[in-house]
Amino acid sequence: VSAIAISWLFAFRLQSALQAVGRIDVTPMPRRQTAVLLACYALMSANWLSRQKGVALSFSSSPVFRRSVARVRRPSVRVMMSSTTSTLDEDGKQVAVIGAGVSGLVSARHLIDAGLRPTIYDSAKAVGGAWTPADPEDQSAAVKMWSGLRTNLSKLTCRFSDWPWSEDASIFPSVAEMNEYITSYARHYLFGSCKFQLESMVVSVKQVASQDGTTKYSVEWQDLTSQKRIQKVFDGVVVASGFFSAPILPEFVGTVDKSKLGETEIVHSSEYKSHETFKEKRVAVVGSSFSALEIAADLTHSASRIVSICSSVPWVLPRWVSDSEGTVLPIDMALFKRSHAFPQAESVQLTPESCRQRHRFLKSIVGEKQLNSDLGEPSDWDKPAHVAISNDFLDLVRERRIEVFHGRLEGICEDGSLRVIDSNTGNESSVEGFDRIICACGFKPNLESFLSSDILATMKYDPNDSFAATTLAWDTLHPELPNLGFCGMYRGPYFGIMELQARLVAGHLSGRIRFGENELREALDISDGIRSCAPRAQFPHFDYPGHMDELAQLCFGPSSPKYNVDKSDIGEMVSPAFYQPDEDIANQCKSDIQNEISRGRDGSRLPNLVLGSILGDWSYDRQIRHIQSKKVERVRGLVKFVKCWSRDREEDEDEDVLKGKKERPVLYREDGVYEFSPSQHFDIFREYEYEARGDALEIYFVEGGKREHLFLSLKFSPESEGASSTDDGYWVKATSDHLCIKDLYSATFRVKLNGLSASKVVIEYRVRGPSKDYESFTEMTMT
């Protein structure tokens, strides 16, 4: 009781003090969470008191206790600008960190661990970087993510190594969830230990000589609230402004005659906030990247016409994929697997054979779904494969909700139409009739806006190279730029890489990690080789597990990581949690991965997969055999599965659909000819609505265009291997019964899956009742 009282008093005084100095803005926690925190304080206090009496209690060091503390939902805290209050060691070297996004925050954390004193600079009002949600009160604020966006990799990859997500977080977090997670990391590791200079835009960084002969850096910034310019000399600098700083637009945009555009507007994808501002507009989306495809899909909720202009053809993958045995997993669990025991040597050069191997792997995930769309598949498998992640883009293309034009946007014609050059043939075509043009052409680092010309020249900076703009050792260091480090100059799955880069920079600036001249020069040669290689991969470091292992060796030596390193781990997912020393955190991540695999195998995720696989046009042949009379009737025709895109998002859809946790309903429309006898036949049609709910695929009757009552609830599972698995796919099966007044319908559904597409559907009914006794067998084949 005393421990609880002391803990409560301490927490209250700490909160009051922090609020008084303007360090944090705290919102109250629910009673349950407060009680858990107080209980944890009490347990820790009791443990401390017991140790004073010579009795050691073990609960505070147990994995269960530590995970319980970590999982308590943290209060919402917003970083406030402060440059006066700090508990830093005044004797440590002062380091300027430019950027308050993921790379800047993780850099500052590890600089502190290395005994250095960081100050974080950012022009934004709060931490979060690219993952800062839009501020409704400040429409001028730069926001790179629109509100409806979700991560394209799961929280198993989008995480700091030693800062687990809460259990209730979405597997693919939203922008708001990402911002809350990043802010909680800053709150835990940086508040009170790091200076923040927010709303401060760095305008100059240059080398200066010091009296002791060491290289220091003069940093000049503009206070955006007072517009004053301030300068300070630092012992070191970490550039963590990221690769995605300045938007790239097609070259012709700067020279286009505005009179040709009329009312047509050209914007960059970073300016995209919501589909609602494009209501009834005709929109062209330029690019074939992640954001281009996701924006095109999002626009279908409001725009009257969407055209996707693709200069290349990527493999389009959804966030959930299955293997050849029907295990449904997050996409990064399929893409980022260990192929060798630690240390896995990083591959930095592609060969035609390695390219073909990658294409074959991605084809096995997609199946025939992309081939049967206007986007088509990549044609030259000797060249590097590119990937884009979007749940809905392919379906919308197949249903003609999005038009696809292959080629590069080269300019605007005299009549205002768009001039597109085919990337393969060189033929020119024009596309006309647009109100808006959204250019998803990527970003560049924009280092020239604040780094001195001699620094830029030393690292061979090319502002027009959006693939790899600098020559740096491990994208972080240069032997001729002492006390200067870079974090986040990387394109790819970035949380784990950025954290290892941060450890490397902090260790090097503090003197704890040292490199010889030859080692640094060799790393620079590799960096130059990556920049000059042809053909270029989608990302400079395309071998994510290999690159993680290489950086880990530099940071920790050959003994790290300690988890997910053995031959027995080959084929397992690589996660940032394995690249840190805490065994409990690593084991918890292993458990989370195994739980995902278990859920992927239990069939609960198959309804969404099946629902997406059956979209499109099918031919069907149905035989109805009457048990008593032995009479056989036949029905043949066409079936169309179409997603219900037209539903109003705000009124008719539940929260899970809006959050992307489950698929939209699908309309089943059947048109055919019923052959009652050789001389008697008539036209028929029927409609159902299919919807994935939880672990079941539910089928509803549709009457007069509206959903009526439930017909069947199907729970799928893979059929036993050997009985159903073949080289071109595998079968999943579900059964269900429905009592229609006095008639019992016993249904069996079987779907043959190959990647994301289905090639066959077999539906069987056994119907029994006072006046009904028949069997129905329907076989459907994709057309």
Side-chain angles (χ1 to χ4, degrees):
V1 172
S2 299
I4 292 176
I6 293 170
S7 301
W8 175 263
L9 180 62
F10 170 75
F12 176 77
R13 285 184 174 275
L14 176 62
Q15 176 177 324
S16 301
L18 289 173
Q19 286 178 313
V21 299
R23 293 288 291 175
I24 57 174
D25 178 23
V26 182
T27 56
M29 288 186 298
R31 292 180 180 178
R32 178 180 63 82
Q33 296 175 9
T34 303
V36 172
L37 275 179
L38 290 176
C40 292
Y41 281 132
L43 291 172
M44 288 187 288
S45 301
N47 189 29
W48 179 81
L49 290 170
S50 68
R51 290 180 185 274
Q52 306 310 304
K53 297 296 185 179
V55 179
L57 302 181
S58 62
F59 51 76
S60 67
S61 60
S62 72
V64 174
F65 176 80
R66 295 174 69 177
R67 287 197 297 271
S68 298
V69 175
R71 288 175 183 172
V72 175
R73 191 174 182 86
R74 297 119 181 151
S76 175
V77 179
R78 184 169 66 90
V79 180
M80 309 296 290
M81 186 179 75
S82 173
S83 58
T84 57
T85 305
S86 176
T87 59
L88 292 170
D89 178 7
E90 294 300 323
D91 295 328
K93 290 182 178 180
Q94 296 189 58
V95 181
V97 178
I98 303 172
V102 173
S103 57
L105 297 176
V106 75
S107 293
R109 180 265 172 95
H110 288 291
L111 288 169
I112 293 170
D113 286 353
L116 305 177
R117 299 167 54 205
T119 299
I120 298 178
Y121 292 85
D122 201 293
S123 58
K125 294 180 179 180
V127 302
W131 293 104
T132 302
D135 184 353
E137 298 181 0
D138 185 7
Q139 295 298 322
S140 64
V143 177
K144 295 184 176 66
M145 313 289 185
W146 70 93
S147 58
L149 185 68
R150 289 185 171 272
T151 60
N152 49 42
L153 301 175
S154 78
K155 64 182 181 182
L156 296 169
T157 298
C158 297
R159 60 164 291 171
F160 298 105
S161 68
D162 53 1
W163 194 243
W165 280 88
S166 61
E167 287 186 344
D168 60 346
S170 305
I171 188 68
F172 292 96
S174 65
V175 174
E177 287 177 302
M178 286 293 294
N179 181 261
E180 180 183 351
Y181 172 76
I182 294 167
T183 303
S184 71
Y185 178 86
R187 179 167 59 247
H188 183 79
Y189 288 110
L190 301 179
F191 285 15
S193 302
C194 178
K195 294 181 180 180
F196 286 87
Q197 287 285 357
L198 301 179
E199 297 187 278
S200 300
M201 182 173 64
V202 175
V203 296
S204 172
V205 175
K206 56 185 178 182
Q207 290 181 328
V208 293
S210 64
Q211 293 181 350
D212 59 6
T214 60
T215 301
K216 296 191 177 184
Y217 291 86
S218 170
V219 177
E220 184 179 358
W221 68 93
Q222 182 174 358
D223 186 316
L224 298 180
T225 57
S226 66
Q227 301 303 315
K228 292 182 179 180
R229 288 208 172 193
I230 308 168
Q231 182 270 338
K232 183 177 179 179
V233 174
F234 286 86
D235 299 298
V237 171
V238 176
V239 177
S241 53
F243 205 96
F244 306 99
S245 299
I248 298 174
L249 290 168
E251 292 183 6
F252 72 85
V253 172
T255 60
V256 68
D257 184 351
K258 302 297 183 182
S259 63
K260 293 181 181 179
L261 294 176
E263 297 183 357
T264 302
E265 295 181 15
I266 304 177
V267 299
H268 189 266
S269 57
S270 59
E271 301 177 61
Y272 182 81
K273 303 289 176 57
S274 168
H275 64 85
E276 295 171 353
T277 59
F278 294 83
K279 189 173 181 62
E280 299 304 321
K281 301 294 184 183
R282 300 163 298 174
V283 187
V285 182
V286 183
S288 51
S289 62
F290 298 83
S291 57
L293 272 55
E294 287 284 72
I295 288 174
D298 192 55
L299 281 167
T300 58
H301 298 296
S302 296
S304 60
R305 182 192 183 197
I306 303 101
V307 172
S308 178
I309 301 176
C310 300
S311 59
S312 61
V313 179
W315 290 103
V316 183
L317 309 179
R319 289 169 172 80
W320 296 94
V321 297
S322 73
D323 61 17
S324 59
E325 297 177 353
T327 304
V328 184
L329 298 171
I331 182 62
D332 40 333
M333 291 188 68
L335 295 181
F336 307 138
K337 293 182 177 181
R338 179 170 293 284
S339 60
H340 298 83
F342 181 87
Q344 178 174 319
E346 181 187 4
S347 298
V348 294
Q349 294 289 338
L350 290 170
T351 65
E353 177 52 37
S354 63
C355 290
R356 289 191 293 270
Q357 184 178 356
R358 186 65 171 174
H359 280 286
R360 287 192 292 267
F361 169 70
L362 296 171
K363 169 75 173 184
S364 70
I365 295 177
V366 176
E368 302 299 318
K369 189 170 188 175
Q370 187 163 331
L371 181 64
N372 298 323
S373 74
D374 289 343
L375 178 66
E377 294 179 346
S379 58
D380 190 349
W381 286 22
D382 287 342
K383 294 182 179 179
H386 287 217
V387 171
I389 297 175
S390 174
N391 288 349
D392 295 329
F393 181 81
L394 275 183
D395 296 330
L396 289 159
V397 170
R398 295 176 70 190
E399 295 180 9
R400 306 294 192 271
R401 296 291 302 276
I402 296 176
E403 304 171 51
V404 174
F405 279 77
H406 294 279
R408 301 185 312 275
L409 178 60
E410 292 291 334
I412 298 179
C413 303
E414 292 292 334
D415 59 0
S417 62
L418 307 183
R419 185 164 62 90
V420 179
I421 306 297
D422 189 290
S423 304
N424 295 320
T425 65
N427 295 333
E428 180 177 323
S429 59
S430 62
V431 192
E432 60 183 15
F434 295 104
D435 306 301
R436 300 288 187 273
I437 302 170
I438 301 175
C439 300
C441 304
F443 295 83
K444 62 179 182 178
N446 201 30
L447 299 179
E448 68 273 22
S449 66
F450 60 91
L451 289 182
S452 65
S453 58
D454 57 330
I455 293 176
L456 296 173
T458 300
M459 59 186 190
K460 302 178 183 178
Y461 176 66
D462 182 355
N464 297 315
D465 189 347
S466 59
F467 178 75
T470 60
T471 294
L472 292 169
W474 312 291
D475 296 331
T476 59
L477 304 170
H478 197 288
E480 297 173 21
L481 299 172
N483 300 323
L484 176 63
F486 294 79
C487 183
M489 293 296 295
Y490 167 82
R491 295 172 58 242
Y494 59 94
F495 265 82
I497 298 296
M498 285 185 186
E499 183 164 359
L500 290 173
Q501 287 181 338
R503 289 180 183 270
L504 182 61
V505 170
H508 190 63
L509 294 184
S510 66
R512 297 181 182 182
I513 299 176
R514 300 180 184 276
F515 300 106
E517 179 75 12
N518 291 338
E519 189 174 6
L520 287 169
R521 293 294 175 185
E522 182 179 344
L524 287 179
D525 290 342
I526 293 174
S527 178
D528 266 332
I530 290 173
R531 297 183 71 183
S532 60
C533 69
R536 285 179 161 184
Q538 183 173 11
F539 303 116
H541 294 278
F542 56 86
D543 180 3
Y544 172 66
H547 194 39
M548 289 281 285
D549 282 3
E550 179 185 30
L551 291 175
Q553 284 184 286
L554 297 171
C555 295
F556 303 110
S559 62
S560 183
K562 300 177 182 177
Y563 320 102
N564 187 256
V565 296
D566 301 324
K567 290 183 179 179
S568 60
D569 294 311
I570 293 176
E572 298 298 321
M573 179 189 182
V574 170
S575 171
F578 300 138
Y579 293 82
Q580 52 79 43
D582 191 306
E583 183 176 1
D584 291 341
I585 292 175
N587 286 335
Q588 181 59 49
C589 183
K590 277 191 173 183
S591 177
D592 292 341
I593 291 173
Q594 286 303 314
N595 289 338
E596 288 298 326
I597 293 173
S598 297
R599 285 193 287 268
R601 289 174 176 168
D602 66 13
S604 61
R605 292 172 177 163
L606 281 173
N608 280 319
L609 183 69
V610 169
L611 200 60
S613 72
I614 59 179
L615 293 171
D617 298 335
W618 299 73
S619 62
Y620 75 93
D621 190 333
R622 177 179 303 131
Q623 291 187 353
I624 302 172
R625 187 173 69 88
H626 296 271
I627 304 301
Q628 298 297 326
S629 66
K630 308 297 184 184
K631 181 181 178 181
V632 177
E633 299 162 351
R634 194 170 187 180
V635 185
R636 287 180 286 188
L638 298 174
V639 166
K640 182 182 289 290
F641 287 96
V642 183
K643 279 193 175 183
C644 298
W645 304 106
S646 59
R647 287 191 168 194
D648 185 276
R649 293 188 70 183
E650 303 301 329
E651 296 181 4
D652 293 339
E653 291 184 5
D654 63 32
E655 199 68 20
D656 283 344
V657 172
L658 293 176
K659 290 183 176 180
K661 292 183 178 179
K662 70 178 185 181
E663 292 289 332
R664 293 170 176 270
V666 167
L667 179 66
Y668 168 104
R669 166 76 187 211
E670 173 187 317
D671 291 276
V673 177
Y674 194 122
E675 298 177 0
F676 188 73
S677 68
S679 59
Q680 293 180 299
H681 55 84
F682 49 90
D683 296 335
I684 65 163
F685 86 92
R686 69 174 72 183
E687 291 181 335
Y688 296 102
E689 198 169 281
Y690 286 48
E691 183 172 4
R693 284 185 175 271
D695 61 352
L697 179 59
E698 296 185 344
I699 303 177
Y700 294 84
F701 291 104
V702 174
E703 298 292 342
K706 293 185 178 181
R707 176 192 286 193
E708 299 294 338
H709 55 278
L710 178 67
F711 176 35
L712 296 170
S713 181
L714 304 169
K715 294 188 177 183
F716 285 91
S717 61
E719 288 191 342
S720 59
E721 188 176 356
S724 63
S725 182
T726 62
D727 292 338
D728 61 344
Y730 61 95
W731 288 89
V732 296
K733 178 181 178 181
T735 59
S736 181
D737 293 334
H738 172 76
L739 183 63
C740 184
I741 307 177
K742 297 181 180 181
D743 301 319
L744 179 65
Y745 289 74
S746 297
T748 300
F749 278 61
R750 297 175 68 238
V751 181
K752 188 176 183 181
L753 296 171
N754 179 14
L756 301 177
S757 58
S759 56
K760 279 188 179 181
V761 176
V762 176
I763 304 174
E764 300 178 60
Y765 289 102
R766 179 69 172 92
V767 184
R768 299 179 180 87
S771 58
K772 294 182 179 179
D773 189 14
Y774 67 87
E775 294 175 337
S776 172
F777 179 88
T778 302
E779 185 171 84
M780 300 166 52
T781 305
M782 178 74 77
T783 59

